[in-house]
Amino acid sequence: MTLQNDVISGLAALVGADVVVAPDAQNVARHSHDFGVPANPSANILALTYPRSTPQVSAILKFCNERRIAVQPQGGMTGLAGGGVPLGPCVVLSLERMRTIKELDVAAGTITVEAGVVMEAVQKAADAADLFFPLDLGGRGSCQIGGNLSTNAGGNRVLRFGMARDLVLGVEAVLADGTVIDAMRKVIKNNTGYDLRQLFIGAEGTLGIITGVVLRLFPKPRSVNTGICALENYAGILELLRRARLGFGAQLTAFEVMWPDFYELGTVGLGRKPPLALGHPVYVLLETMGQDPDADSQRYETVIGEALEAGVVKDAIIAKSGRESTDLWTVRDSPGEWTRTPHWPQLGFDVSVPTGEIESLMTEIEAELNRRWPQLKTVYFGHVADGNLHASVRMNGHSVPELDIEDAVYGIVSRRKGSISAEHGIGSLKRKFLSYSRSPAELALMRAIKQAMDPNGILNPGKVL
Amino acid sequence: MTLQNDVISGLAALVGADVVVAPDAQNVARHSHDFGVPANPSANILALTYPRSTPQVSAILKFCNERRIAVQPQGGMTGLAGGGVPLGPCVVLSLERMRTIKELDVAAGTITVEAGVVMEAVQKAADAADLFFPLDLGGRGSCQIGGNLSTNAGGNRVLRFGMARDLVLGVEAVLADGTVIDAMRKVIKNNTGYDLRQLFIGAEGTLGIITGVVLRLFPKPRSVNTGICALENYAGILELLRRARLGFGAQLTAFEVMWPDFYELGTVGLGRKPPLALGHPVYVLLETMGQDPDADSQRYETVIGEALEAGVVKDAIIAKSGRESTDLWTVRDSPGEWTRTPHWPQLGFDVSVPTGEIESLMTEIEAELNRRWPQLKTVYFGHVADGNLHASVRMNGHSVPELDIEDAVYGIVSRRKGSISAEHGIGSLKRKFLSYSRSPAELALMRAIKQAMDPNGILNPGKVL
């Protein structure tokens, strides 16, 4: 325990005893797993640190870098790929105390926050200023902005507003050696050399630790229109998407496709009446946001109505109130409730290919899984306009090794030049499959960047690369 | 001339004699300057290469890297900061023969092109497919997509569609040692490790040479509304911007502010009748794009009408036809015609600060320039919603050193944490001022990245860093 005592006393001397905590059963349990990956038996947390400021983060990193001690950065621990899960001896660096909203600039349309601020707090601060922060996902109440950036979070509104990367104007990050990179600018345009912000976004804490962020805010939408359409086939989906893009333009915020087994599971499977009858070959939830309530709802009805008349859409239901809209979204958001259904435990996939190839990807996956493991049952859904397909394989009662299923699915995605992780990141969970989406030349360049920025490899070891 | 002969014969043996051209007065003249920076007297072009394929680019780079010969990448040479201008002994690598449009995918909303494709060709291909490529700037007829990405080009529609960086899904680039990084994916979402594309975008060819691009396309707008408003002061501009954002949402595509001297220069200064009377303290051109012609024009009139009633806008003119819209844009685009006015030659600035600070920035610049050089005359205009101010200093007949003026203006921008180059890049022109916008820690990290990716420093030496 000498190393542990040395680390705790050394760090406490630098940043104060209140920032450094010795591991015990309770705090170790809290800091050892995320939503998708359990605690690792070989993890060994030497100390937990809760810095209150960027200089404290810098001091902790410098200390650890000089001693070659691994640092495990942590946000809200809502990830699904183990990006924040300790794997070996390490100092945990949690951003949870850095949760100050520093400024909201209405004219610039920006909010400046510390990395530990919870996503929902940003959404609420924007709303109070009659503005809108569009990034949104299930973990909104506990995930932190620093983690959202580190994993380049997506969510339901990527179609219109992009991934987390697209919502960032400024970043402050601390390098492995304690150097503070202050790129906290509130400007949209800045063509002065390399865009260093991008190195930290989506890097899962392996190139530096994000400590501050300047985010873009948008005008608060004044109208939301939601509906579900039933269609005959995937060609119909592509035609409806074409019409929706042309008819709604930038107002189109969601185009969520649900195949029949998913639709059934998310309605009658949870004891709810389906908004449209079961039995259609495919369903789409469409959402628009705009600034002109009357014109926007009329336009929504026109576009869907024309698609009905043209025979593209076979049946449709349009929400007439916020409550009805919530009910429609409940179907799409049902995976959060699957623990109550026989479709549990499940093995989830989050892959992407170009939008036009989603059906053939699905067909290929389904054929391969059926051929090799006919006892498994898979349901499909996705942010199809983003080219993002989710597949959920029911594991209950079967002994098929997950690795074999992953290898099969990722192999198919790889041959189509798709992404094995559209949203969730690589972490430790998908590390062994990274080469399915990235070439040897890309991996070599990633390693060269990692080597240049973290030569001792102290930052989040065992993740991504 | 031995080195030159060796280089030409060595390269010709690798990639074919038709790809490698010996320098002569004519081709050297064509490849030695851009729109903003003249030929450099110490430049020494050893050979000009016009590869037709990525493997040829790779072979040329590998050859030069092994011999430590500098490579000067070139696109359409429409830049303003000298990014493509040779400075010493080098091999010119022009992408102009790589101009194949490889695929347009309607469902995915993407176009896949070689780097030498001219911007306007992308715009036209998108238009023919009922889609829209929003990146647009004056050099559209000759600038190339590879150059647009390398300089992270901006233009008039950044407010809605972002910079070039925001329009890119995939990139293929060749590293200094000839390694091909193939990240030509057509997927929007791809969280599999570091986003290597970002390293090449905005790096001005110093980290690799972009050879291929997958670009995002958007629904073709069905309506465009344009108008010019006259306002009393900058507070009014911010209030109009607030109203425009809330009223138009994502339909707002341009918010261009013109101060009185600029407005006069762009109208009566060019012998044209001003669309709104001279004498107002400030003018704004607003443009919206949408999918619903009737509702969109009504909404435009409503938002401007309400601003008039509230006294925010003092006078307004709204274009009633495409031709009237073009006429209004002529005022904003008048800098392209300034060679016909007494406001020439000029020293142009392209800086950014947060939108709310534009007026105080302008006031501070104006006071400083007036104090030190009262003989100079400066006009101001800008993409104010993007925080981007252009200042144009009339140099005609004065002997003030440009470097002194630049030092004064960039010093003010630096103290406000702004960008000394919002759109145009650094190249060779602003290299000595890079530290005015980037900290020593940022510059050190940029150098570490450069060293990791181009250890022999052959790629575009003397630029950016």
Side-chain angles (χ1 to χ4, degrees), chain A residues 105-109 130-131 151-155 158-160 162-163 165-166 175 179-204 206-207 216 219-220 222 238 241-242 245-251 291-293 295 299 352-357 383 385-388 390 417-426 434 437-439 441-443 445-450 452-453 463-465, chain B residues 105-109 130-131 151-155 158-160 162-163 165-166 175 179-204 206-207 216 219-220 222 238 241-242 245-251 291-293 295 299 352-357 383 385-388 390 417-426 434 437-439 441-443 445-450 452-453 463-465:
Chain A
D105 182 334
V106 173
D130 220 16
L131 292 166
T151 55
N152 189 28
V158 171
L159 173 57
R160 161 66 186 97
M163 307 282 281
R165 185 183 304 280
D166 302 299
L175 302 182
T179 301
V180 178
I181 299 292
D182 177 0
M184 288 288 275
R185 298 181 183 84
K186 294 198 291 180
V187 298
I188 291 172
K189 294 169 160 178
N190 182 22
N191 280 344
T192 55
Y194 310 154
D195 189 341
L196 301 175
R197 305 169 305 177
Q198 311 293 340
L199 288 169
F200 306 106
I201 301 170
E204 305 188 28
T206 62
L207 297 180
R216 293 187 73 164
K220 193 194 289 189
R222 286 168 163 170
L238 293 181
L241 177 59
R242 194 190 66 80
R245 281 171 169 160
L246 215 54
F248 300 132
Q251 296 193 341
Q291 308 306 118
D292 192 341
R299 171 131 286 261
S352 74
V353 295
T355 293
E357 295 181 32
H383 317 285
D386 305 330
N388 189 183
H390 292 293
K417 284 195 83 169
S419 172
I420 63 157
S421 185
E423 296 188 320
H424 300 165
I426 297 297
L434 184 57
S437 270
R438 308 298 290 264
S439 68
E442 286 181 286
L443 295 173
L445 180 52
M446 285 190 215
R447 282 190 207 100
I449 301 292
K450 170 74 175 176
M453 292 179 68
K463 311 298 165 56
V464 186
L465 285 172
Chain B
D105 182 334
V106 173
D130 220 17
L131 291 167
T151 55
N152 189 26
V158 172
L159 171 56
R160 160 67 186 96
M163 308 283 280
R165 185 184 302 282
D166 303 300
L175 302 182
T179 302
V180 178
I181 299 293
D182 177 359
M184 287 289 274
R185 297 180 185 84
K186 294 198 291 179
V187 297
I188 292 171
K189 294 169 159 177
N190 183 22
N191 280 344
T192 56
Y194 310 154
D195 189 342
L196 301 175
R197 306 168 304 177
Q198 310 293 339
L199 288 168
F200 305 106
I201 302 171
E204 304 188 27
T206 62
L207 297 180
R216 293 187 72 163
K220 194 194 286 187
R222 287 167 163 170
L238 292 182
L241 177 59
R242 193 190 66 78
R245 282 171 168 161
L246 215 53
F248 300 131
Q251 296 194 341
Q291 308 305 117
D292 193 342
R299 171 131 287 260
S352 74
V353 294
T355 294
E357 295 180 33
H383 317 286
D386 306 329
N388 188 183
H390 292 293
K417 284 194 80 169
S419 172
I420 62 156
S421 185
E423 296 188 319
H424 300 166
I426 297 297
L434 185 57
S437 270
R438 308 297 290 262
S439 68
E442 286 180 287
L443 295 172
L445 180 51
M446 284 189 217
R447 281 188 208 102
I449 300 292
K450 171 74 174 175
M453 293 180 65
K463 312 298 164 54
V464 185
L465 285 172

Side-chain angles (χ1 to χ4, degrees), chain A residues 136 140 155-159 224-228 252-258 262-263 266-267 270 272 275 284-289 300 317 319 321-337 381-383:
Chain A
D136 190 45
R140 68 183 69 81
N156 287 330
R157 297 189 189 117
V158 171
L159 173 57
V224 178
N225 287 282
T226 317
I228 293 184
L252 183 64
T253 50
F255 190 91
E256 303 292 311
V257 176
M258 300 171 280
F262 175 93
Y263 187 77
T267 54
L270 289 159
R272 296 191 191 115
V284 182
L285 184 153
L286 286 105
E287 186 185 74
T288 66
M289 291 185 178
Y300 194 92
I317 181 167
S321 66
R323 191 197 166 130
E324 284 184 23
S325 168
T326 305
D327 285 348
L328 296 185
W329 269 106
T330 302
V331 186
R332 171 59 184 81
D333 288 341
S334 69
E337 302 178 80
F381 58 110
H383 317 285

